[in-house]
């Protein structure tokens, strides 16, 4: 497999970075090709603006998704976006590797999503969910957080973590067609021992080694809806 | 009331900007004080980094929330963050005004949340949800999106919009103590007529004029959980 790891953490020595390195080592040992986009190290620009297009369909009024659709055809998308898009299209497996900030991705990573998942390639018209432009690829979300595991779940104070991650798991990754694997979660990371961190790294290694057998999460399929997207 | 509108849209002439201006006019006509943080116009930096602290508790290893907690005490938080935090503390009502990108906020606004909702002031320890640092204030999320209303809801293709907005409504705004009002949603915006847009502006005006009577959404209260945050 070709694997793209998109990593976003403001501390280079973080445990999230250790998870990234564990993934690189484990996947390479299995013979996979791995590329890493380390967004902080790259000084990635997360802000979607008109400057993302060297030529514009409508220079007077920016509809971002429309300019993406046209820009990707005419190769007038900013070079930093095109490079990431090329990596994304190359990958069979995408790993988003990040610390949870406000029950979602850091702005740095959100801006990778905003800018790189371009309309016309990753989705567009009726090409979403199982019909999305990236169908056939797999995605894994690997997160660290401060909370404890018992704070998440049906009766727990924050509800299920998958519900908090819904805009990413369903609204982004499943939307563009990925088979989305259950997230890998390292709990309570700022407060745990080096030994407990080691156990997370070990179970992450095992998880990655068995990834081929993982069952993806279940999301809507377009065939369950009519032409106007009303449920059948 | 003091009202802070945080606005994030890459197109200055957008309909989202028209909603911002409608809010300013309506709220001022009612005698409220209004401040606006127009993040694109301000060239806001959305990326949380070590440079957000002029002095560091631990210069060798960044734990962002910990440095926030100490930085806000010692006034060593970056000036752009402190200015936004001052506006936030001044406000009785916060309006987040944005176009939905990937079923959530644009990175520009996510980075305002990441950097401005500082630990030690907005939350910390057992100070979250109804005990959050911003308890007593109200928050309203005003969004525009491309999707149609029938694509959202219990049996709809994307599920309820409130579920997609959960990390913002519950995981962010309710978490820091806001009374979170039901979102105001303008559907299908890129594709509708000027007349239909005018109707959204009109219903937004009416909504804002009646805001005092709006019932907030219901979220967990800490009294429903024990000391270790297990459900009682």
């Amino acid at each position: 497999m070709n694997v793209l790891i998109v990593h976003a953490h403001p501390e280079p020595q973080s445990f999230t970075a250790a998870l990234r390195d564990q993934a690189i080592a484990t996947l390479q040992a299995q013979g996979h090709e791995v590329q890493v986009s380390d967004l902080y190290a790259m000084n990635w620009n997360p802000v979607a603006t008109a400057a993302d297009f060297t030529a514009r369909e409508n220079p007077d009024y920016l509809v971002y998704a429309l300019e993406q659709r046209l820009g990707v055809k005419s190769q007038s998308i900013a070079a930093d976006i095109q490079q990431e898009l090329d990596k994304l299209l190359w990958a069979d497996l995408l790993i988003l590797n990040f610390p949870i900030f406000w029950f979602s991705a850091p702005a740095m990573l959100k801006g990778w999503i905003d800018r790189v998942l371009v309309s016309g390639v990753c989705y567009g018209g009726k090409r979403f969910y199982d019909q999305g432009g990236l169908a056939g690829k797999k995605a894994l979300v690997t997160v660290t957080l401060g909370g404890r595991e018992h704070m998440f779940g049906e009766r727990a104070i924050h509800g299920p973590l998958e519900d908090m991650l819904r805009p990413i798991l369903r609204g982004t990754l499943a939307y563009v067609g990925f088979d989305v694997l259950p997230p890998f979660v390292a709990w309570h990371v700022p407060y745990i021992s080096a030994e407990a961190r080691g156990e997370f790294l070990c179970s992450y290694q095992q998880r990655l080694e068995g990834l081929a057998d993982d069952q993806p999460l279940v999301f809507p399929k377009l065939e369950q809806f009519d032409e106007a997207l009303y449920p059948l």
Side-chain angles (χ1 to χ4, degrees), chain A:
Chain A
M1 281 195 303
N2 293 336
V3 183
L4 173 61
I5 302 174
V6 181
H7 168 76
H9 196 296
E11 170 53 58
Q13 309 167 81
S14 69
F15 181 67
T16 309
L19 287 167
R20 173 201 63 203
D21 295 341
Q22 180 66 265
I24 297 169
T26 302
L27 294 164
Q28 286 182 339
Q30 290 182 296
H32 303 307
E33 291 284 323
V34 181
Q35 289 193 74
V36 177
S37 291
D38 183 335
L39 301 184
Y40 273 87
M42 291 157 66
N43 198 23
W44 173 254
N45 165 26
V47 181
T49 68
D52 291 346
F53 312 101
T54 56
R56 293 267 295 278
E57 171 75 7
N58 184 349
D60 300 322
Y61 190 96
L62 178 70
V63 179
Y64 194 80
L66 178 62
E67 296 293 347
Q68 284 183 318
R69 203 146 63 219
L70 300 163
V72 79
K73 264 192 209 157
S74 62
Q75 300 195 295
S76 56
I77 281 194
D80 62 338
I81 298 175
Q82 188 65 55
Q83 282 165 19
E84 292 303 301
L85 181 58
D86 290 344
K87 291 183 203 170
L88 180 63
L89 296 176
W90 164 87
D92 305 300
L93 168 66
L94 171 69
I95 299 179
L96 299 180
N97 191 69
F98 61 96
I100 289 194
F101 283 10
W102 295 102
F103 298 95
S104 55
M108 189 59 126
L109 177 56
K110 179 54 168 56
W112 186 91
I113 290 168
D114 289 348
R115 297 178 71 225
V116 177
L117 297 184
V118 300
S119 179
V121 175
C122 301
Y123 71 100
K126 288 284 173 65
R127 294 168 57 234
F128 63 106
Y129 287 137
D130 59 314
Q131 303 297 315
L134 304 184
K137 299 176 187 289
K138 292 181 182 185
L140 172 66
V141 165
T142 298
V143 293
T144 56
L145 74 169
R148 292 173 182 270
E149 192 165 4
H150 74 265
M151 298 176 193
F152 292 86
E154 276 309 330
R155 292 185 58 231
I157 191 158
H158 300 310
L161 181 62
E162 287 74 9
D163 286 358
M164 284 288 191
L165 294 177
R166 183 177 173 125
I168 297 175
L169 299 175
R170 174 169 171 170
T172 304
L173 296 170
Y175 187 91
V176 296
F178 282 108
D179 284 334
V180 183
L181 305 177
F184 181 85
V185 184
W187 306 97
H188 208 46
V189 164
Y191 312 103
I192 61 176
S193 64
E195 191 183 359
R197 290 183 175 200
E199 283 167 21
F200 276 127
L201 290 175
C202 185
S203 65
Y204 191 40
Q205 179 181 346
Q206 290 169 353
R207 174 75 193 277
L208 291 171
E209 285 171 351
L211 215 60
D213 301 324
D214 270 15
Q215 288 304 307
L217 302 172
V218 176
F219 293 109
K221 296 187 194 309
L222 285 203
E223 68 190 16
Q224 299 161 334
F225 298 85
D226 71 12
E227 272 300 295
L229 299 174
Y230 284 92
L232 288 173

